[in-house]
Amino acid sequence: MDVRGDFLVIGSGIAGLRAALALADAGDVVVLTKADPAESNTGYAQGGIAAALGPDDSVALHARDTMAAGDGLCDPAAVDVLVRDGARYVQELCDWGVAFDRAPNGDIAFAREAAHSVRRVLHARDATGREIARALWARVAAHPRIRVCDDALVTSLIVRDGGCVGVTFADREGAVRVADAHATLLATGGAGQVFRETTNPAVATGDGIAMAYRAGARVRDLEFVQFHPTVMNVAGAPRFLLSEALRGEGARLVNAEGEAFVSRYDPDGDLAPRDRVSRAMVREAQRTGAPVYLSVQHLSPAFIHERFPTIAQACRAAGLDLARDLIPVSPAAHYMMGGVATDLFGQTSLPGLFAAGEVACTGVHGANRLASNSLLEGLVFGARAAAAMVDGREVSVWPEPPCVSAPAARTLGADEAVPDDAGVRDLMWRQVGLLRDAEGLQSAVSTLERWEAASQQRLARTVQVEPAVRRTANLLMVGLLMARAALRRQESRGGHFRTDFPAHDDVHWKRHVAETATLP
Ligand SMILES: Cc1cc2nc3c(=O)[nH]c(=O)nc-3n(C[C@H](O)[C@H](O)[C@H](O)COP(=O)(O)OP(=O)(O)OC[C@H]3O[C@@H](n4cnc5c(N)ncnc54)[C@H](O)[C@@H]3O)c2cc1C
């Protein structure tokens, strides 16, 4: 049986859940989510959510830090919305019972993270996303007008008369079904799985970006990927994020000699923006030929275990004591700054389709995201997109900052084998990773174009498509869009670093790379 609601939400992370709660006051909401409903980047968020609620803080200061991290490409109007509405919506989370950590006097205990000029990050120990999701799920479950369908893998957007009118999805038995609605929200999260090394869970395969692009929606800023510097790297153990809040509390990056090294490469030292710390680590590892480590040996073990229980447990599982051992770390793909381009209300360039959260490119992050601003973005823009969906707002002129196009796609009649996910992820890590150059990017684009063409042929030939085949097709599509944008941007800025163009170039590149598919 097919599914119908007034509103359709794809994804059950912070953006999808916050939107569903706002939409349910106005109509029947169907949430489609492809795995266990709790499986999302949101559930893994550790450090916290930023909001200008502290006594020494202001929305102006939060905006200033966000713009500085974004390295010249933030949209000031979007940042203003984020920090202003953000304070209000985070206060609402407190009212809804989210148990943020508090000081002994009952005041919220704000944490410090890199590139924030004050302590601004609300947190629930080191599992903030899980706690926020708990509170949102409690409200969603109690709402009679929200229906959640899990194991519902959305595979394409349905476009009729130039607008999105619903989606097709595969249910848990693999049957292809249709869901239609007045308005559809993509809240499908990030795309870390495009890279071999990532902090993201298995669901983060960029499906929303791939589906929106194929349906004709505009995508933007896809060259900007944030690589998180401190991911535990122990052979045989899962890559586990060691939150930046550790460095906020005084943790240091050291080389095999125990020497703190980041300030030799960067004047802001261990709390420099993530892209700069990541590059300092790569350079130090290349210089010494040895791994680099995170150390909290100079801090109180009792404090570390109390404040970071989840991280301590993950270290223990890998045979390490977070408080006493040097923890081997290396960078991994963590967050997508770019995505499906939207206006300030989540409206994409395709009428009827909205996007919010990590899948969207609202302009708040520019070339690099300020730590703990992404849960905030999902919360704020999930609620705003919902309000616009309820209003049935139609934008006649869709606003966009100055953009250039990515290189045009070539039409290929490829007949070669499509690689498995590992092949795509390995290529992306080696050639479209932390350090990029024209040669590697050009080679990646050529290979990915051939693989993508072959993947499309395979999809066209197959009636009952396996989820694994779709996943690979989406990884290929998103990887290709990233590689093309990275090749086009001939400068270094934020998360995008070109060894052949290591400097900023504001004259030519203070603008965005955007792409819209040419549909048949
Ligand atoms: C380890 C880790 C730590 C982090 N720590 C922080 C932090 O401390 N602070 C912070 O601000 N940010 C943090 N982030 C980033 C932040 O968690 C995410 O950016 C944010 O949670 C994204 O929320 P979302 O609602 O957009 O997407 P997600 O929470 O990722 O949810 C996406 C949903 O869409 C579903 N979905 C995807 N594709 C489909 C499909 N085809 N069909 C149906 N459903 C689909 C998924 O199953 C999932 O339910 C962290 C991320 C990671 C991975």
Side-chain angles (χ1 to χ4, degrees):
M1 201 183 71
D2 291 342
V3 176
R4 178 161 180 81
D6 297 307
F7 306 108
L8 202 52
V9 174
I10 319 299
S12 57
I14 189 168
L17 295 181
R18 184 61 189 83
L21 287 169
L23 290 166
D25 292 336
D28 292 323
V29 183
V30 175
V31 178
L32 300 176
T33 189
K34 74 177 175 184
D36 178 301
E39 198 52 20
S40 63
N41 276 2
T42 298
Y44 292 86
Q46 298 177 349
I49 185 164
L53 291 173
D56 54 350
D57 205 357
S58 68
V59 289
L61 206 52
H62 189 182
R64 200 188 68 189
D65 290 347
T66 302
M67 303 276 290
D71 215 358
L73 277 192
C74 292
D75 172 354
V79 172
D80 190 59
V81 164
L82 178 81
V83 296
R84 266 177 217 289
D85 283 15
R88 183 158 62 87
Y89 285 116
V90 171
Q91 183 57 54
E92 181 185 65
L93 287 183
C94 298
D95 300 342
W96 287 356
V98 174
F100 292 119
D101 289 353
R102 292 186 177 262
N105 69 359
D107 289 350
I108 285 172
F110 294 96
R112 175 95 193 268
E113 291 199 41
H116 287 272
S117 52
V118 296
R119 285 185 166 261
R120 170 180 296 137
V121 178
L122 294 90
H123 54 92
R125 305 283 180 91
D126 57 356
T128 309
R130 205 164 60 206
E131 171 58 14
I132 294 175
R134 181 199 60 74
L136 293 176
W137 273 115
R139 297 182 82 83
V140 165
H143 208 299
R145 302 192 81 176
I146 305 177
R147 173 178 169 198
V148 179
C149 306
D150 53 0
D151 284 317
L153 172 71
V154 175
T155 51
S156 65
L157 306 178
I158 303 171
V159 179
R160 205 172 295 139
D161 299 328
C164 177
V165 294
V167 303
T168 54
F169 69 100
D171 68 13
R172 72 164 58 89
E173 279 77 42
V176 177
R177 299 171 64 181
V178 168
D180 51 10
H182 301 311
T184 300
L185 176 71
L186 277 179
T188 46
Q193 288 291 328
V194 169
F195 294 92
R196 188 184 74 207
E197 306 294 333
T198 182
T199 62
N200 289 193
V203 290
T205 48
D207 298 3
I209 296 171
M211 289 189 289
Y213 179 75
R214 289 192 193 109
R218 196 149 171 82
V219 296
R220 194 170 65 217
D221 288 349
L222 288 177
E223 69 275 36
F224 295 118
V225 177
Q226 185 172 81
F227 295 90
H228 199 294
T230 53
V231 179
M232 183 166 64
N233 189 348
V234 174
R239 297 286 181 265
F240 192 85
L241 180 74
L242 304 184
S243 167
E244 196 158 271
L246 277 158
R247 276 174 291 131
E249 298 293 356
R252 286 193 305 241
L253 283 157
V254 298
N255 61 22
E257 305 296 317
E259 179 200 355
F261 61 85
V262 182
S263 50
R264 263 200 278 114
Y265 298 92
D266 197 299
D268 292 329
D270 285 293
L271 286 177
R274 291 175 178 175
D275 57 300
R276 284 162 36 194
V277 176
S278 295
R279 288 195 293 273
M281 289 166 66
V282 169
R283 293 203 167 108
E284 183 68 359
Q286 280 168 351
R287 187 186 72 81
T288 59
V292 300
Y293 301 89
L294 192 72
S295 169
V296 292
Q297 289 171 331
H298 53 295
L299 302 176
S300 148
F303 167 72
I304 289 295
H305 283 285
E306 159 70 13
R307 171 77 174 80
F308 300 105
T310 315
I311 296 174
Q313 171 55 33
C315 290
R316 212 171 297 125
L320 296 166
D321 181 337
L322 172 64
R324 294 196 165 81
D325 291 323
L326 294 179
I327 313 294
V329 286
S330 57
H334 182 57
Y335 183 81
M336 274 298 308
M337 268 73 74
V340 182
T342 72
D343 70 1
L344 298 183
F345 291 90
Q347 167 77 58
T348 71
S349 64
L350 183 64
L353 181 69
F354 294 75
E358 194 166 340
V359 67
C361 179
T362 56
V364 296
H365 305 302
N368 202 8
R369 169 184 72 113
L370 184 68
S372 289
N373 263 358
S374 44
L375 287 173
L376 189 68
E377 185 193 24
L379 188 70
V380 167
F381 286 89
R384 287 175 70 88
M389 290 163 77
V390 170
D391 283 354
R393 208 170 62 95
E394 282 297 332
V395 250
S396 46
V397 182
W398 193 72
E400 197 170 46
C403 291
V404 294
S405 304
R410 288 183 300 152
T411 312
L412 300 163
D415 217 2
E416 65 178 272
V418 183
D420 60 8
D421 289 1
V424 182
R425 301 175 70 212
D426 189 57
L427 174 122
M428 289 297 293
W429 182 248
R430 284 185 291 102
Q431 297 185 325
V432 196
L434 200 52
L435 303 176
R436 301 163 170 177
D437 62 26
E439 194 185 344
L441 289 170
Q442 185 60 68
S443 152
V445 167
S446 304
T447 309
L448 289 164
E449 279 180 341
R450 287 201 317 277
W451 287 349
E452 218 276 319
S455 154
Q456 289 310 318
Q457 283 182 356
R458 178 167 73 173
L459 283 179
R461 278 197 304 263
T462 320
V463 182
Q464 187 90 11
V465 180
E466 292 291 319
V469 170
R470 291 213 184 271
R471 193 177 56 235
T472 309
N474 288 342
L475 294 180
L476 273 170
M477 181 82 264
V478 177
L480 176 56
L481 291 168
M482 283 179 186
R484 279 212 290 253
L487 180 62
R488 184 82 170 89
R489 182 173 289 281
Q490 295 183 333
E491 65 150 1
S492 292
R493 186 186 293 272
H496 170 72
F497 192 82
R498 293 276 302 252
T499 53
D500 47 352
F501 293 99
H504 256 203
D505 177 358
D506 278 349
V507 175
H508 299 99
W509 287 108
K510 213 161 170 21
R511 50 189 164 163
H512 302 263
V513 179
E515 194 169 349
T516 313
T518 315
L519 299 181

